[in-house]
Amino acid sequence: MREDIKSRIRNGHPWIYENEIDKVEGDFQDGDIVDVFSHSRDFVGRGYINSKSKIRVRLLTRRNEKIDREFFLRRIREIVEWKSRLVKDTQAFRVVFSESDGLPGLVVDKYADYLVIQIGALGMERLKPLVLDALVEIFDPKGIFEKSDYPAREREGLEKVREWIYGKGPELIPFEMNGFKFFADTLGQKTGFFLDQRENAKLLKDVADGRTVLDVFSYTGTFSVHSLAYGAKRTVLVDYSERALEVAKLTLDENGFSGRYELVSENAFDFLISLYRSGQRDFDMIILDPPAFAKSFEDRRSAYRGYKEINLRSMKLLPDGGILVTSSCTRVVSEQDFMVVLYDAASDSRTRLQLVKKGGQPSDHAPTLNIFETFYLKFMVFRVNKMR
Ligand SMILES: C[S@@+](CC[C@H](N)C(=O)[O-])C[C@H]1O[C@@H](n2cnc3c(N)ncnc32)[C@H](O)[C@@H]1O
């Protein structure tokens, strides 16, 4: 490993890029466990290697320990013990948040009696039997669903997987969270549900009372359920995924909110434009939770444009005293960048934005300071004042 990049890795970052490796000794196959040494032959750590990935090695440990069933049992038990102190009032939480929980390439979410896992790297794929064994021993789940269907798998030379790999369970996994009923959709997005908004959704308490809500990029309606439970009069959910809206309907009905919502399957950008043009000004609370707008640092300007457009339109639609709930999960857009974009939109729409509440990643998705890639979620609740 080259000297000039050593400090990032020495300071806790688990990735070793292809251009950071000077010499490879011995034979290996992609996915094998390898040891990493510094120039001065100090042991740096042990992890898995993939010659097809720019991230050549991901470290699993910095100790001289075997990567076996016991390793995963120990590591996952320790994480679960810690998280059980922090995660309250929910049957669902993120058990393993990959790099940030010291298990690169692995995500494990728990939904009541079921687990959904995602594997994003070849090395972790090879370790899957050990991971499964540990999860079964710790949780004794009714079923484990593998939902490894995201594009990053292709870069690692892996196929997409969407199936029950242990036991069996329903297509829609029911669970309770914050006192409400939800479903994780095994055929939906991510692991079936956006668990990272669990704590943020609770921040709508106090601000939603009496409001008419527009829930844009709603997915299966987490924010709408919370808004209605916290006293909102009505909510309109907008998402281009018809399947997400079907599950949203089921979720809203299960929670007793039939007749208090409307579902709109449309492109959110077009919807906001047509709403503005139509002159309708029904909503006094708008929630924006779009998907990540950029994956790479080079593309972040197009993400700024996307954020500016939807936030500016929402500011124009809201009345004086309205509420703007806005979120960004684009990792390459920092909180400060996001604030600058919001400031820009506020200035164009002659709006004063008072930051009433601020959320972020919940403690089961806690980022690690030494791994900046683990920071991604921004969440803010603003009170809107018109300056004219
Ligand atoms: C981050 S998720 C929203 C999660 C949701 N707020 C929740 O807490 O469950 C983004 C959602 O936006 C939807 N989406 C993405 N692009 C869209 C677009 N241009 N118009 C409408 N919906 C879109 C996706 O289908 C997805 O459901």
Side-chain angles (χ1 to χ4, degrees), residues 177 182 189-190 192-198 201 215-224 238-242 244-245 264-271 287-293 310 327 329 377:
M177 181 185 94
F182 293 99
Q189 300 174 33
K190 303 282 169 160
F193 190 82
F194 289 87
L195 272 177
D196 52 1
Q197 295 287 19
R198 190 186 62 250
D215 181 1
V216 191
F217 306 97
S218 66
Y219 190 53
T220 54
T222 302
F223 289 126
S224 284
V238 183
D239 201 291
Y240 64 19
S241 160
E242 285 183 15
L245 292 179
V264 180
S265 170
E266 213 182 302
N267 183 310
F269 287 83
D270 298 343
F271 180 84
I287 302 168
L288 301 173
D289 183 20
F293 281 150
I310 56 174
S327 191
C329 61
L377 191 62

Side-chain angles (χ1 to χ4, degrees), residues 349-364:
S349 58
R350 304 284 301 140
T351 304
R352 202 172 154 265
L353 291 179
Q354 187 179 31
L355 184 58
V356 183
K357 299 190 186 204
K358 199 167 133 197
Q361 287 167 237
S363 49
D364 54 331

Side-chain angles (χ1 to χ4, degrees), residues 360-373:
Q361 287 167 237
S363 49
D364 54 331
H365 292 65
T368 296
L369 207 65
N370 321 51
I371 315 172
F372 76 91
E373 293 88 349

